Amino acid sequence: MIFDDTRNVAYTRALKRVVTPDSVVMDLGAGLGIHGLVAAKLGARRVYLVEPANIGVLSERIARANGLEGRVTCVSGRVQELELPEKVDVIVSVFTGNFLLTEDLLPSLFLARDRFLAPGGTLLPDRARMEVVPVSAPGYHAKHIAGWAERSQGIDFTPVRELAGNDLYYDDSDAREVKFLSRPGKLLELDFNTAKQAGCRSRVRVRLKAGGTCHGWLGWFRMRLSGRWLSTSPDAEPTHWRQVFLPLDPPMELKEGAMMTFELVRPEFGDWTWTVETGGARQRHSTFLSEPLTPAVVASKADGFRGRLSERGRAAKMVLASLNGKRTSSEIAERLSGECPGLFSDQGEARHFVQSLIDGFV
């Protein structure tokens, strides 16, 4: 992403329009901090690089290498735990996933907005929209979905096809050949200044400009940066973002001029469900069905599920309870390997387990 010039030029252009010598800027989910460092270079009074990953030391070195250390503060941690000494005038973020809601980062942006953005402050980006279009993509569909109906070494893998037809496929535009069967339609638009949640329950209706076989729908998003829109569609300048293919299986045979409805339901942190209707035919797909399901798996996903910790879960509970500042990690691992001999092959594996929990929770 550091070398995604299409994206970074658009962000820099937007920052030039809003950053002043009095500006306090938050680069949320900063990574190495390219946008925050640009803001500092443009003269912002103070820039906070906020990043949960432990790379602040590297960001500080980059700031020093560019003569910006006096204006840049690196803050390690999640926004839910963040404390700042002041409000900020600008929040710049790249919390838009490949299909806008992918990765579920927008709820953290809205939280940061409500907690830290000064009245009249600016969000970059401040608005985004999801767009979809029905496509003919015979080769891509055959590779990822229909191909499971082919035998390999005389073995029939057809049962996998049902799972593949309910999955999402993210790829660059040059990884698939598609033909648009209609004009793209706007599915959902979010105003980041006022949005309270980042889910979707939207539908779009399009008229087919060409007949043929519809193998699925292609989706992407656009976002607004200081009044100018940046698109991640296959017709736009390439970025690190990818379009998503939402398949239909079986594909639908359609006539020119037919009307087609696409509905997408996706709650925050939930599964993607898409329903397509045309000429009395209807198909419904969901990522919930993209993995093998057993009664136990289905029950565990219910809101009323009452489960019990597995042996591995009990081991994790014991480790977390032991991280109280009184025992060393080696002592905890030694106790763990003694109490859970069937879970870890040796003390080295137990130490690795302890370290993974330290990395995630300490």
Side-chain angles (χ1 to χ4, degrees), residues 103-335:
E103 299 181 61
D104 288 297
L105 296 173
L106 288 175
S108 294
L109 171 61
F110 301 157
L111 177 61
R113 173 201 66 197
D114 294 341
R115 291 185 60 192
F116 300 111
L117 189 63
T122 300
L123 294 175
L124 295 177
D126 69 340
R127 183 178 287 269
R129 65 172 65 121
M130 301 165 71
E131 299 180 344
V132 291
V133 64
V135 295
S136 178
Y140 197 76
H141 191 278
K143 176 181 178 181
H144 292 284
I145 298 134
W148 286 105
E150 302 293 330
R151 290 177 176 267
S152 178
Q153 304 302 310
I155 305 300
D156 182 1
F157 286 92
T158 301
V160 180
R161 179 170 179 165
E162 182 179 352
L163 307 183
N166 284 283
D167 210 351
L168 301 180
Y169 297 87
Y170 296 95
D171 258 320
D172 297 320
S173 57
D174 59 2
R176 63 168 82 88
E177 290 187 17
V178 300
K179 174 186 176 183
F180 287 15
L181 298 178
S182 76
R183 295 177 59 86
K186 183 176 75 172
L187 183 66
L188 173 72
E189 186 157 338
L190 284 177
D191 182 346
F192 294 170
N193 291 294
T194 58
K196 298 298 183 183
Q197 60 88 37
C200 178
R201 182 177 288 273
S202 303
R203 64 169 49 201
V204 62
R205 187 171 170 82
V206 299
R207 182 180 296 277
L208 301 184
K209 66 179 182 181
T213 305
C214 180
H215 295 92
W217 288 65
L218 197 67
W220 60 85
F221 74 94
R222 301 176 188 268
M223 65 177 177
R224 191 172 70 178
L225 293 159
S226 193
R228 300 184 66 167
W229 288 87
L230 175 65
S231 174
T232 66
S233 82
D235 295 328
E237 287 293 319
T239 68
H240 75 279
W241 286 291
R242 299 176 172 186
Q243 300 90 40
V244 61
F245 178 70
L246 303 98
L248 291 176
D249 198 42
M252 289 181 164
E253 296 297 331
L254 305 169
K255 295 182 178 180
E256 180 180 351
M259 299 300 298
M260 203 171 192
T261 300
F262 177 88
E263 180 181 56
L264 182 67
V265 177
R266 202 275 177 160
E268 289 183 350
F269 307 98
D271 289 295
W272 301 77
T273 301
W274 58 102
T275 304
V276 176
E277 295 182 84
T278 182
R282 183 176 186 270
Q283 279 195 39
R284 184 173 182 267
H285 297 262
S286 176
T287 54
F288 181 79
L289 301 174
S290 66
E291 59 182 274
L293 296 176
T294 65
V297 170
V298 173
S300 70
K301 294 179 181 294
D303 291 340
F305 175 68
R306 298 181 181 183
R308 294 182 182 276
L309 287 177
S310 65
E311 184 180 3
R312 192 172 183 84
R314 291 191 294 272
K317 181 180 179 181
M318 187 272 279
V319 171
L320 293 173
S322 300
L323 292 171
N324 54 13
K326 297 179 180 180
R327 295 184 177 89
T328 68
S329 57
S330 294
E331 290 171 341
I332 297 172
E334 183 176 0
R335 177 189 170 194

Side-chain angles (χ1 to χ4, degrees), residues 4-25:
D4 182 348
D5 287 340
T6 300
R7 181 199 76 164
N8 295 336
V9 166
Y11 270 84
T12 297
R13 184 170 53 229
L15 285 164
K16 286 179 177 178
R17 299 185 65 178
V18 300
V19 170
T20 72
D22 295 322
S23 295
V24 178
V25 178

